[in-house]
Amino acid sequence: MKTQVCVIGGGPSGLLLSQLLHLKGIDTVVLEKHSREYVLGRIRAGVLEHGFAKLMREAQCGERMDREGEIHEGFLIAHDGRLDRIDLHGLSGGNSVVVYGQTELTRDLYDARARLKGTVIHDVEDVRLNDLHSGRPSVSYRQGDEVVQIECDYVIGADGFHGVSRKAIPRTVLREYEKLYPFGWLGVLSRTKPVSPELIYARHERGFALCSLRSQVLSRYYIQVPLTDSVDDWADDAFWAELKRRLPDEVAARLLTGPSIEKSIAPLRSFVAEPMRYGRLFLAGDAAHIVPPTGARGLNSAASDIYYLYHAMLAHYQRGDDSGLDGYSAKALARVWKAQRFSWWMTMLLHTFPDRIDYERKLQQTDLDYLLSSEVAQRSLAENYVGLPF
Ligand code: FAD
Ligand code: DHB
């Protein structure tokens, strides 16, 4: 089999790039380890930057997002029994975010790929990347007993943190930066009316909590839990009771509870791999970087990689200009590190750290006091949360 661009990973990064390139007449093949149903069963991100929403429209995938997604012009910070609002719209010069689940967004991308008869191959095993430093790289995979080889011009590693693409870069070339946090987020999806029309990020001495939503009838809540906890330790009633304890009384009083329809724990991690290019391989999204979810940057950082790669590929195929491909790693990493800084900062601001000394606790309190009393500090938060320019 032959294609121009072989994309490894059928998550949002891989599908979006494949769709954008297809619309410009560039041939792609997407290889995905799991079935479509499995990929669509994962509940992950919920907040899209306005730049990401624009890219979805450019990919002709924005229709349902624009109809069903909610525009959010602010969010709330709960602390010390009260609520303060961050006016994203006013503070960022008129920008906002779209609340639209990653599951729905991925479904729209799969539907769009099917509409255009794009090649997306599911249930591939033993994916291998070959000859990345030659002018003619290839990717092989196995499906049942059959081994297939795809010859291509470029390979895109969009196969997430646990994928094979990053591992194809020699250890002598790859540098990895990592920080682990001593807790995870326990997330619950429930078919209940959200407690608040805007997201609530709650700081509490018992641990962080987040009230989010997918629609006016579907809520998404998270609480900080120790890494040693498992989902089985948290019956629904225990989850709701703990969430209520971490919210201001007036919010807890109006929280509607119900059976969980999904419950999972995600550990918090910061991670960056450099460089994001090796020969004819380009890494994108979680394959190259992970953020703790606090600032809602994970999926959005993937989108900015795709934006840069898309334009670099267009310049190559349409004008024979390789400057975008040559500059991809440096350009993508500059923005990735800003998302890292912001996610780390929001995580440090809002979580309870078991081994913090009193001095650090005082600084954390002062950081929050400063944020809530300074318009300059809030502008910085808003600028990062709605998304830095691509
Ligand atoms: P992925 O979505 O991971 O997609 C990669 C795809 O590659 C997957 O479908 C995988 O099956 C496939 N794959 C893996 N290995 C191979 C292989 N060898 N061959 C072929 N295919 C392969 N971000 C937020 O902003 N907010 C959140 O609340 C949030 N919650 C999250 C919860 C969890 C549990 C996780 C893991 C992530 C969360 N994120 C969140 C981050 C966000 O979901 C990711 O940043 C986003 O999914 C990145 O998209 P991606 O396409 O780069 O990677
Ligand atoms: C959601 C997740 C986040 O990490 C976040 O910062 C905001 C919202 C969510 O899943 O809805």
Side-chain angles (χ1 to χ4, degrees), residues 70-378:
E70 287 187 12
I71 293 178
H72 282 219
E73 297 189 342
F75 66 77
L76 301 156
I77 296 182
H79 64 101
D80 307 301
R82 51 178 287 203
L83 284 174
D84 281 287
R85 182 168 189 268
I86 302 294
D87 175 12
L88 292 173
H89 191 259
L91 291 161
S92 71
N95 285 322
S96 50
V97 292
V98 180
V99 172
Y100 189 62
Q102 179 171 336
T103 313
E104 300 312 314
L105 175 139
T106 310
R107 188 188 306 280
D108 295 343
L109 287 165
Y110 270 127
D111 289 349
R113 296 313 298 118
R115 241 185 352 258
L116 296 185
K117 301 198 178 358
T119 310
V120 181
I121 305 172
H122 286 277
D123 303 310
V124 300
E125 295 178 84
D126 293 342
V127 171
R128 287 188 196 162
L129 295 72
N130 310 304
D131 304 321
L132 294 172
H133 258 295
S134 76
R136 205 66 202 155
S138 67
V139 177
S140 62
Y141 67 92
R142 191 170 58 75
Q143 233 182 0
D145 291 337
E146 195 192 4
V147 174
V148 181
Q149 171 125 335
I150 303 177
E151 289 179 16
C152 54
D153 300 335
Y154 294 103
V155 181
I156 307 301
D159 48 353
F161 183 67
H162 298 288
V164 291
S165 303
R166 188 179 67 252
K167 294 173 190 134
I169 304 179
R171 306 300 306 171
T172 47
V173 176
L174 195 71
R175 175 107 199 250
E176 295 182 340
Y177 301 84
E178 184 170 49
K179 177 177 169 63
L180 301 173
Y181 301 83
F183 40 74
W185 279 19
L186 168 64
V188 159
L189 190 68
S190 75
R191 231 175 274 293
T192 47
K193 185 174 159 51
V195 70
S196 157
E198 293 188 330
L199 271 64
I200 303 177
Y201 288 86
R203 205 198 74 171
H204 192 277
E205 62 200 18
R206 295 182 65 89
F208 170 79
L210 170 61
C211 305
S212 183
L213 60 142
R214 291 291 176 272
S215 71
Q216 281 313 308
V217 292
L218 199 55
S219 300
R220 180 71 166 159
Y221 297 105
Y222 298 94
I223 56 170
Q224 172 188 347
V225 294
L227 278 176
T228 44
D229 282 14
S230 80
V231 167
D232 298 335
D233 297 327
W234 287 93
D236 286 358
D237 286 351
F239 176 84
W240 293 121
E242 185 57 34
L243 176 62
K244 284 183 180 178
R245 278 188 208 112
R246 298 182 188 188
L247 298 173
D249 290 344
E250 47 122 347
V251 180
R254 59 187 153 86
L255 178 77
L256 297 176
T257 64
S260 63
I261 50 177
E262 195 269 356
K263 199 188 278 170
S264 52
I265 294 183
L268 268 65
R269 181 198 302 271
S270 296
F271 174 87
V272 182
E274 294 188 352
M276 287 172 63
R277 176 195 188 167
Y278 177 70
R280 295 214 163 209
L281 166 67
F282 294 85
L283 299 180
D286 278 17
H289 42 78
I290 299 282
V291 285
T294 325
R297 294 305 77 200
L299 182 55
N300 291 302
S301 293
S304 72
D305 293 350
I306 296 308
Y307 176 88
Y308 296 136
L309 260 183
Y310 167 51
H311 286 280
M313 290 279 168
L314 279 192
H316 169 79
Y317 282 110
Q318 294 182 337
R319 304 192 297 278
D321 172 1
D322 281 352
S323 58
L325 290 176
D326 291 340
Y328 168 70
S329 181
K331 197 167 183 177
L333 282 166
R335 194 176 189 277
V336 160
W337 275 110
K338 288 181 188 132
Q340 290 282 328
R341 184 206 69 80
F342 178 65
S343 307
W344 164 84
W345 171 75
M346 256 189 97
T347 302
M348 301 305 276
L349 179 75
L350 296 174
H351 289 75
T352 297
F353 287 77
D355 48 4
R356 257 190 187 159
I357 58 172
D358 286 347
Y359 177 82
E360 290 165 325
R361 266 188 260 283
K362 280 284 188 188
L363 280 188
Q364 185 186 29
Q365 183 62 46
T366 307
D367 205 359
L368 188 62
D369 290 347
Y370 170 60
L371 173 68
L372 297 174
S373 63
S374 160
E375 193 186 303
V376 174
Q378 287 180 32

